[in-house]
Amino acid sequence: MFPHLREDIASIIKRDPAARNAWEVLTCYPGLQAIAIHRAARWCWMHGLKWLGRFISHIGRILTGIEIHPGATIGRRVFIDHGFGVVIGETAEIGDDCTIYQGVTLGGTSLNKGAKRHPTLAPGVIVGAGAKILGAFTVGEGAKVGSNAVVLKEVPPGATAVGNPARITQKAEGAAGDDAAARVFSAYGITPDADDPLSKALRGLINHAAAQEHQLKSILTALESAGIPCEEVPEAEKVDSNHLNKLVG
């Protein structure tokens, strides 16, 4: 029933700098304990002992503060860090080597019994604290979900989802996050240059407007130098790109 406990412990020691030894992880990490209890609950669930599976799951919730439905599928070396307030629904699927922080919800948005209602996390996904992933879609392999994001649609492999509702940013080729260590673990889903994509778009528009203003001034100066009269128009308010960029973050 617990064939992967040893590698789960080794995985936690590898990914958490606060973990000092196997005994400490086994006795003091609620995420590991919740997954071990879930395996017992799921065994009962899959063998027709539905009530017993739910009851074991309920005991696990009381002991660890982590609620995992016995019908959920959890892969190998999954690390639920801190874990308090994590909720994983019945048809959720979590791939190998995923990392989930406290306050995460893998929830469903449908009342259809027997249907797939909860999300699927592909291998290597990192979900930051407080994030909500709601619906029967897939978060692609190696993707990251930022803290407090509300994800309502599919996330492509390697992408990052941030905001409420979440917006998707694709990782640039050859970006800093491509190294092997970053693929194994990224604390709280934080990545270099992980600005909100909406803020990036607004900054781009602001800088473009400032560049156009400069170009128009250059054109008017050139026309006047060539003796071509330009109709006098009231001078518009200048674009302060630095001030506007600070406002949008």
Side-chain angles (χ1 to χ4, degrees), residues 19 26 56 62 75 99 113 117 130 145 169 196 203 232:
L26 182 64
I56 293 173
I62 293 171
T99 302
K113 291 187 177 181
R117 308 188 310 278
V145 177
T169 58
D196 187 327
R203 282 200 296 270
E232 289 290 333

Side-chain angles (χ1 to χ4, degrees), residues 6-211:
R6 187 184 298 272
E7 70 174 358
D8 287 343
I9 293 172
S11 175
I12 291 172
I13 292 174
K14 182 178 181 180
R15 286 187 268 179
D16 185 2
R20 295 181 298 175
N21 54 62
W23 178 247
E24 182 178 89
V25 171
L26 182 64
T27 56
C28 301
Y29 275 63
L32 175 71
Q33 295 162 0
I35 289 176
I37 293 170
H38 167 72
R39 287 177 179 148
R42 180 164 173 77
W43 186 92
C44 295
W45 184 266
M46 297 302 293
H47 288 80
L49 303 172
K50 303 292 187 181
W51 177 86
L52 183 58
R54 287 303 302 267
F55 184 72
I56 293 173
S57 172
H58 180 63
I59 295 299
R61 176 178 177 272
I62 293 171
L63 294 175
T64 66
I66 299 169
E67 182 172 345
I68 308 175
H69 192 285
T73 302
I74 297 182
R76 300 168 64 175
R77 299 177 299 279
V78 172
F79 180 23
I80 302 178
D81 196 5
H82 304 298
F84 198 84
V86 168
V87 177
I88 300 173
E90 178 183 4
T91 62
E93 300 176 46
I94 302 175
D96 298 342
D97 301 303
C98 289
T99 302
I100 298 173
Y101 286 91
Q102 67 271 17
V104 168
T105 298
L106 304 184
T109 56
S110 169
L111 295 177
N112 295 327
K113 291 187 177 181
K116 171 73 169 168
R117 308 188 310 278
H118 301 86
T120 295
L121 306 187
V125 169
I126 297 172
V127 186
K132 316 301 177 189
I133 305 176
L134 309 175
F137 53 83
T138 299
V139 179
E141 183 172 357
K144 299 178 179 66
V145 177
S147 296
N148 296 315
V150 179
V151 184
L152 303 174
K153 61 182 180 180
E154 186 166 324
V155 180
T160 299
V162 295
N164 178 11
R167 292 175 286 272
I168 310 301
T169 58
Q170 288 283 2
K171 183 172 62 178
E173 292 294 329
D178 286 339
D179 59 274
R183 287 195 298 272
V184 171
F185 182 67
S186 176
Y188 293 94
I190 295 173
T191 57
D193 194 30
D195 285 345
D196 187 327
L198 182 60
S199 296
K200 286 185 176 182
L202 288 173
R203 282 200 296 270
L205 290 172
I206 291 165
N207 292 333
H208 184 64

